[in-house]
Amino acid sequence: MGSIIGGGAAAALAAGDPAAWAAPVAVGPVNPVRVPVSGHPANSGFTVFVEGDIALNADEAEGTVAAGGDLSFASTYNVAAAGRFPNTFTAPGDAAPTYLYVEGGVDFSTAGGNILRILNGGYAKIGDTASYSAYDRDQNNAVVNYNIVSPGASYGSVPRIEGTVTESPAQIAAPVDAGLIDIAGAFDAYRSLTAQLGQCAATVALTDDSGAALGTPIAPGTRGRLTLTPGQTNVLNIPAADLASLTEISFQNQPTLTTPLLVNVLGDSFEGTVPNLAGISSDQAPFILWNFPESSAVTVTGGDSIEGTLYAPNAHLNWQVTQNIEGNVIAARFTHGTPAPPGPVTREVHSFPFASLVSCTADDGSSPTPSPSATSTPTVAPSPTSTPTATPRPTATPTTTAAPTPTAAPTSSAPAALPSSPPASDPGGGGADIPPRPSADDRLPATGSAAPFSAALAVFAASAVIAGAFLLRGSSSGRARR
């Protein structure tokens, strides 16, 4: 297919015309996670990107976390636990990128004596300052790594959120301009895209061991085989009940950068287990998108780790199992884990961001059209200048015992711009074309805030995206399940 938005529609979008997102458009090629909004990738580089509330109950996200609502936690939890993930934004005056972003406040009521740690030198931004007290100095007035505690509690008390660097209370509370992160605009775009992707015609089907297509409904305990067509987006449409009935999907060949897999899980909800995904591993996770276009609730109760990105912008995603998510999380709400489960806890979100472009046609051969329910419009604006004008969030005055630490002259950095040319294509087989690891400090370099939106729009229309698939744990990298 051609560009996701062509001709006059592209010009209208560049001009910020609200009608541009409501008009019928072709799907593809587009990275549904990093589609440009407000002059930057929609998710601003965050691994976990949630429109509303987020509950972190066990046990870590190896990437970064952003929530448009409130944050709660009910166990010790690590954010940015590994050193390799895409950069997020760096706010004006900050010395480091933000790894935990909360537009609402912190609910400490379920936290007990636990600590939520933000590792690898990342900053935190929390909007509702009435919900916490923040410190960058201890009781002896010595400069310390930042602590965020219950309102009125002292430095070092539990429960708390703590960083590994110094960040002042004023920096934690500072509003962030939409030119760096725009959760409302992102989810306007996501809801339109999930509906359009959900209309894609199937190009592949599950078969039994003899090669015969599996009918529906699929009987519980069924094993399916999946063969992909190299060099194109492969679309598997499956009812939610059939996915829950499968015990295994055996991949006969592997998704790659140019052979991505789009799985449309159809139905108003999903509850069940993840089938064993034989023949693939985290190496292929950046090229698989699990789209839940109709679901308001996605509850995963057991089974295997899921390889790929969970794309459920209308749903409460409730991940209850003791297995991992190997990709981005895009959800209206997110509950990660059940507090105090029996036995070992290995619920992690591994940072294998979705890295492919997908494209498709609808079942009737036409271009899929946006959902009629997507009425609001993402803000499309030029990338921010070096001193963006902040739009204050209505919050109370931060409770703190220390004056803000002096900062340098304000500068800002948006998430990395999308590449201007597609990567070299692969022959379509195997899993060799994994996006390259970043060099230097293990994060993708920030490109600054002056990148013109026209460049991002051009990429949005026709270029390939490499968000980065980073091998976070040697024990899981390159290991196909059998």
Side-chain angles (χ1 to χ4, degrees), residues 386 389 435:
S386 60
T389 301

Side-chain angles (χ1 to χ4, degrees), residues 431-462:
D433 61 350
I434 300 167
R437 297 188 188 187
S439 58
D441 67 346
D442 288 339
R443 292 186 296 275
L444 298 181
T447 57
S449 59
F453 176 67
S454 58
L457 182 62
V459 175
F460 180 45

Side-chain angles (χ1 to χ4, degrees), residues 141 215 235:
N141 205 34
V235 181

Side-chain angles (χ1 to χ4, degrees), residues 21-402:
W21 279 94
V25 294
V27 175
V30 61
N31 182 319
V33 174
R34 291 177 59 86
V35 56
V37 168
S38 300
H40 54 74
N43 70 330
S44 295
F46 286 90
T47 307
V48 177
F49 193 76
V50 177
E51 180 182 34
D53 296 344
I54 188 167
L56 303 177
N57 299 325
D59 69 308
E60 71 179 24
E62 293 192 346
T64 50
V65 175
D70 294 336
L71 166 72
S72 64
F73 59 102
S75 71
T76 294
Y77 196 97
N78 295 326
V79 171
R84 296 184 182 274
F85 36 80
N87 70 287
T88 65
F89 64 84
T90 299
D94 285 358
T98 294
Y99 289 170
L100 175 67
Y101 176 83
V102 181
E103 283 193 358
V106 182
D107 179 0
F108 287 98
S109 64
T110 63
N114 292 299
I115 300 172
L116 189 155
R117 295 182 174 90
I118 303 164
L119 305 177
N120 283 293
Y123 277 15
K125 302 292 180 188
I126 302 176
D128 183 2
T129 56
S131 68
Y132 65 91
S133 294
Y135 300 91
D136 63 350
R137 293 179 181 270
D138 63 15
Q139 291 86 343
N140 298 316
N141 205 34
V143 175
V144 291
N145 295 338
Y146 66 87
N147 268 204
I148 300 166
V149 298
S150 299
S154 61
Y155 173 84
S157 63
V158 291
R160 70 175 179 267
I161 299 170
E162 67 178 26
T164 58
V165 292
T166 298
E167 181 185 11
S168 74
Q171 289 173 299
I172 293 169
V176 180
D177 186 77
L180 298 178
I181 185 169
D182 182 1
I183 292 179
F187 275 85
D188 286 339
Y190 287 160
R191 288 196 173 94
S192 180
L193 279 168
T194 191
Q196 294 176 62
L197 294 171
Q199 298 175 49
C200 291
T203 63
V204 292
L206 294 172
T207 67
D208 62 19
D209 289 341
S210 69
L214 294 180
T216 188
I218 292 176
T222 297
R223 175 179 180 268
R225 294 162 60 96
L226 185 62
T227 302
L228 306 178
T229 301
Q232 69 175 48
T233 299
N234 290 260
V235 181
L236 174 64
N237 293 335
I238 184 169
D242 285 353
L243 179 61
S245 293
L246 289 168
T247 57
E248 180 174 288
I249 298 175
S250 178
F251 284 76
Q252 304 308 293
N253 55 346
Q254 295 175 331
T256 68
L257 184 68
T258 57
T259 305
L261 174 61
L262 167 64
V263 183
N264 285 320
V265 183
L266 305 175
D268 59 9
S269 66
F270 172 83
E271 182 170 0
T273 61
V274 176
N276 180 47
L277 302 176
I280 62 171
S281 72
S282 57
D283 284 354
Q284 289 73 48
F287 319 125
I288 304 173
L289 189 83
W290 300 83
N291 182 39
F292 296 81
E294 303 160 345
S295 292
S296 60
V298 176
T299 303
V300 182
T301 58
D304 198 9
S305 292
I306 194 160
E307 305 295 348
T309 285
L310 288 166
Y311 197 76
N314 298 305
H316 176 196
L317 174 60
N318 190 343
W319 188 264
Q320 298 179 354
V321 300
T322 55
Q323 294 292 343
N324 300 323
I325 298 171
E326 308 269 298
N328 290 108
V329 171
I330 305 296
R333 292 174 56 204
F334 181 41
T335 299
H336 189 204
T338 302
V345 177
T346 56
R347 279 182 295 259
E348 298 179 2
V349 180
H350 290 170
S351 188
F352 295 96
F354 188 72
S356 287
L357 300 178
V358 297
S359 57
C360 73
T361 56
D363 282 314
D364 61 2
S366 65
S367 297
T369 55
S371 169
S373 62
T375 57
S376 52
T377 304
T379 304
V380 179
S383 297
T385 63
S386 60
T387 55
T389 301
T391 301
R393 294 178 290 230
T395 60
T397 302
T399 304
T400 177
T401 61

